[in-house]
Amino acid sequence: AGWKIGRSPIYHTVTAADGTVKLLLKLEDNRLIETVGIPVEDEKGSMRLTACVSSQVGCPLRCSFCATGKGGYSRNLQRHEIIEQVLAIEDIFKHRVTNVVFMGMGEPMLNLKSVLDAHRCLNKDVQIGQRMITISTVGVPNTIKKLASHKLQSTLAVSLHAPNQKLREMIVPSAKSYPLDAIMKDCRDYFAETSRRVSFEYALLAGVNDSVEQARELAELLHEWGRGYHVNLIPFNPIEGSEYRRPNKKTVSAFAGALESRKITVSIRQTRGLDASAACGQLRNNFQKSPLIIESDREESQSDVAVAC
């Protein structure tokens, strides 16, 4: 009947000194996708295991600091290709995944149907609580409203990266079609619809968007559109061929302090997996920017066709 069972094989694995593991999964069409397992042990000795999953093969939005965009875009992932990333992480760690973040390769809102299908399965079947799942977006017109209509208890994380429209367009080219005021209005409406506050991701790029003045401008923007917003600061994870640099700790602390002094809740993401090419898209770009076509693959595909016939 044309049904297949089984999972995509692991093509390559890299383990960082901090325990972070990045996997490349080889899909049926010989394309590679990344997924990352991030273990964190608390004071009581219990482990939180986060799976950072991809939603597309590559990404069409081409944010200037992102390795995935530099690798080009191929297609959306199907729901089972998203779910199997979580199962692969569980297999590697021999431990249940406790948290899932849609922050890997791709823009989840451009593949919303498969993302929501995968979300439903991860919640109902794999039994990961909705509040333990985060869906990240750089912003696609009309999709935040659509997501709000599903009234999920999961976290929406919006990749802001700039306190004003001009700078945001430089960092995120797709921002031209979705102005900052429109995003902020949709985030305010999202909270009104779901009672779930939006988290804002902010990648700190040295000398570009990391000044105290820009932190003050960001605080003003957030206060203008609501109260109680959370900002997750992400010091830039260096990638090959990028003109951007990582800010020093003093600059990161000053930026965070400027937000906190203006009553904005801030967290600074701990950088994980620097020695495992853990920035989104890095490892995949080392191996592939187009489908893997090697002799064994051709033989396998021809054999599959013969069997199917």
Side-chain angles (χ1 to χ4, degrees):
W3 289 93
K4 293 186 177 181
I5 60 169
R7 301 229 303 269
S8 299
I10 294 174
Y11 181 79
H12 190 74
T13 305
V14 178
T15 303
D18 62 12
T20 298
V21 175
K22 173 167 275 194
L23 306 178
L24 288 181
L25 298 185
K26 180 181 171 186
L27 305 180
E28 194 175 14
D29 59 0
N30 288 334
R31 297 189 185 275
L32 300 178
I33 56 166
E34 295 180 353
T35 186
V36 183
I38 307 166
V40 177
E41 194 170 297
D42 64 20
E43 296 171 353
K44 298 177 182 177
S46 60
M47 187 170 81
R48 184 176 80 244
L49 179 59
T50 299
C52 179
V53 300
S54 297
S55 55
Q56 296 179 305
V57 184
C59 183
L61 296 186
R62 296 183 178 275
C63 296
S64 60
F65 60 87
C66 179
T68 297
K70 293 179 183 296
Y73 168 75
S74 301
R75 66 173 175 85
N76 283 336
L77 292 181
Q78 299 174 63
R79 61 184 174 186
H80 71 272
E81 293 171 327
I82 297 172
I83 296 160
E84 69 178 356
Q85 295 175 59
V86 175
L87 303 181
I89 293 296
E90 291 191 340
D91 286 350
I92 287 288
F93 282 89
K94 302 291 188 287
H95 192 282
R96 278 186 56 78
V97 163
T98 57
N99 299 67
V100 175
V101 293
F102 284 83
M103 294 182 180
M105 295 167 53
E107 166 54 62
M109 295 297 198
L110 289 176
N111 189 19
L112 192 54
K113 183 181 186 306
S114 290
V115 165
L116 288 173
D117 285 347
H119 180 284
R120 192 176 302 111
C121 177
L122 292 170
N123 177 228
K124 301 293 186 185
D125 301 320
V126 185
Q127 297 192 325
I128 296 170
Q130 284 199 22
R131 294 195 174 213
M132 300 296 107
I133 300 175
T134 296
I135 298 174
S136 177
T137 180
V138 76
V140 176
N142 302 316
T143 55
I144 292 177
K145 293 178 184 177
K146 193 176 294 184
L147 184 65
S149 70
H150 291 272
K151 291 184 167 50
L152 303 180
Q153 287 301 295
S154 296
T155 298
L156 171 64
V158 174
S159 298
L160 213 54
H161 308 317
N164 59 65
Q165 179 67 15
K166 184 178 179 181
L167 181 58
R168 193 164 194 269
E169 285 184 18
M170 186 190 87
I171 298 171
V172 183
S174 63
K176 292 175 184 175
S177 64
Y178 196 9
L180 196 52
D181 283 355
I183 286 184
M184 296 307 298
K185 179 183 183 302
D186 285 347
C187 289
R188 183 181 64 189
D189 293 347
Y190 182 89
F191 172 66
E193 181 86 9
T194 65
S195 299
R196 296 284 293 165
R197 294 196 186 279
V198 176
S199 176
F200 290 101
E201 308 281 311
Y202 195 102
L204 286 167
L205 310 169
V208 177
N209 65 351
D210 64 343
S211 70
V212 168
E213 291 74 20
Q214 287 164 326
R216 292 171 183 151
E217 189 179 0
L218 177 61
E220 288 174 14
L221 174 73
L222 297 182
H223 283 310
E224 180 185 349
W225 289 99
R227 289 290 181 271
Y229 286 126
H230 173 261
V231 175
N232 187 20
L233 298 177
I234 310 166
F236 177 61
N237 203 349
I239 60 173
E240 185 180 348
S242 173
E243 68 274 22
Y244 295 122
R245 295 175 294 107
R246 182 185 181 88
N248 58 42
K249 289 183 178 180
K250 184 177 179 182
T251 300
V252 174
S253 295
F255 195 98
L259 290 176
E260 288 174 335
S261 68
R262 285 159 179 78
K263 304 292 190 291
I264 302 291
T265 306
V266 182
S267 59
I268 300 172
R269 183 182 295 176
Q270 181 184 356
T271 300
R272 302 293 301 268
L274 269 177
D275 51 337
S277 297
C280 181
Q282 272 186 283
L283 185 62
R284 178 250 193 173
N285 285 359
N286 293 342
F287 285 85
Q288 176 190 64
K289 290 190 180 179
S290 58
L292 289 169
I293 301 294
I294 55 179
E295 288 306 315
S296 61
D297 294 329
R298 286 199 184 96
E299 290 166 8
E300 285 173 14
S301 61
Q302 288 168 0
S303 172
D304 289 345
V305 170
V307 171
C309 291

